[in-house]
Amino acid sequence: MNELRFAWLEITGKCQLRCGHCYASSGPSGTDGSMSPSDWTRVITEVSRLGGRMVQFIGGEPTLHRSLPDLVNHALEVGLEVEVFSNLVHISSQLWEVFARPGVRLATSYYSVDAAEHAAITRHASSHVRTRRNIVEALRRSIPLRVGLIDVKDGQGIEGAYEELAALGVREIGIDRARQVGRGARGQTSGVEQLCGNCGRGQIAIAPDGSVWPCVFSRWLSVGNVRQALLSEIITGSAMIDTSEHLVAHFDRRVRSAPCVPTEY
């Protein structure tokens, strides 16, 4: 890797939702893993020193990690932009104040204009009304917001959801497919066909146990662990080089798709 620009920081595996397609296999029984708040603070500092421009806090549901406010503030202090990818099911008053800081933006996933269909996908009865309500609140507070529509099943109300979000005032709306990673694999083996071909190209992902992946979707391709080595050593190490060469060789034989939008399902 010549230059690190972006890092996904998966700070927890806990989530209120139980989405059947979750790439991280997160849910109510998830944990914060073995990375301590001080471990995350050190990693965030390393990302900045290595030239990183942005970190994205993901999970699981990152708002369930009690140190999220401190971690966001630290990232801002060391000169990084911040995006928090939340399901927006519940946002505390403290977190709203953190999210309103300059340099912070929000992102969320959305599934349908129909509350029942949305709830069937998230497996949480009130997820639609809560997420929609907090989308409206983020817009009211003028917090930059990006929404990803995730195409999970045939006949899903994606077009209606797009129109609904646009009517609410959301200006950045993307559409992505569910990846066969984590619970989304649904009994199949995850492979490079689930990737876009830009893994490791200026971006890395770090797991709750400290594992480093070239991409948040390439979870079976660990190239090191930040609890055992410096991030600078990992991204220039032989495992990262070998994995990157393997991915380049694979994707150079096919048309490279658009870079993975950092999404959370």
Side-chain angles (χ1 to χ4, degrees), residues 133-165:
R133 180 178 61 213
N134 285 322
I135 286 173
V136 172
E137 180 63 14
L139 295 171
R140 187 188 72 80
R141 291 174 179 261
S142 299
I143 299 172
L145 174 69
R146 178 171 65 85
V147 180
L149 294 171
I150 312 303
D151 191 357
V152 176
K153 63 186 184 70
D154 293 340
Q156 186 179 333
I158 291 290
E159 290 186 10
Y162 190 102
E163 294 171 357
E164 177 189 26
L165 292 168

Side-chain angles (χ1 to χ4, degrees), residues 56-257:
Q56 185 190 67
F57 292 98
I58 60 173
E61 172 51 36
T63 63
L64 295 179
H65 195 293
R66 65 178 60 188
S67 294
L68 179 62
D70 293 335
L71 297 177
V72 170
N73 289 332
H74 179 68
L76 294 174
E77 288 168 2
V78 297
L80 294 168
E81 295 179 62
V82 171
E83 184 171 78
V84 178
F85 210 118
S86 167
N87 58 37
L88 294 184
V89 168
H90 174 74
I91 306 297
S92 68
S93 58
Q94 178 193 20
L95 282 174
W96 278 125
E97 296 303 316
V98 172
F99 296 161
R101 292 194 61 185
V104 180
R105 56 183 293 128
L106 286 173
T108 194
S109 295
Y110 206 65
Y111 300 99
S112 177
V113 66
D114 180 77
E117 182 174 54
H118 185 101
I121 291 170
T122 64
R123 300 176 184 175
H124 188 292
S126 60
S127 61
H128 182 270
V129 65
R130 292 186 179 194
T131 297
R132 188 183 188 280
R133 180 178 61 213
N134 285 322
I135 286 173
V136 172
E137 180 63 14
L139 295 171
R140 187 188 72 80
R141 291 174 179 261
S142 299
I143 299 172
L145 174 69
R146 178 171 65 85
V147 180
L149 294 171
I150 312 303
D151 191 357
V152 176
K153 63 186 184 70
D154 293 340
Q156 186 179 333
I158 291 290
E159 290 186 10
Y162 190 102
E163 294 171 357
E164 177 189 26
L165 292 168
L168 290 174
V170 180
R171 296 292 173 257
E172 191 172 352
I173 308 171
I175 300 176
D176 196 12
R177 63 184 172 88
R179 311 295 177 108
Q180 291 180 346
V181 179
R183 280 201 299 268
R186 302 182 183 185
Q188 300 185 43
T189 301
S190 299
V192 292
E193 68 279 355
Q194 301 303 315
L195 309 178
C196 70
N198 292 281
C199 301
R201 293 173 178 257
Q203 60 188 24
I204 50 94
I206 302 173
D209 67 356
S211 295
V212 179
W213 310 307
C215 163
V216 72
F217 294 122
S218 60
R219 309 173 77 83
W220 66 95
L221 294 175
S222 178
V223 295
N225 190 296
V226 293
R227 299 180 69 241
Q228 301 166 1
L230 294 174
L231 185 58
S232 58
E233 297 172 349
I234 293 171
I235 66 174
T236 59
S238 59
M240 185 69 178
I241 293 170
D242 292 346
T243 299
S244 296
E245 289 178 350
H246 167 71
L247 292 170
V248 167
H250 174 82
F251 283 100
D252 279 353
R253 295 193 297 268
R254 50 178 279 193
V255 177
R256 193 179 301 277
S257 60

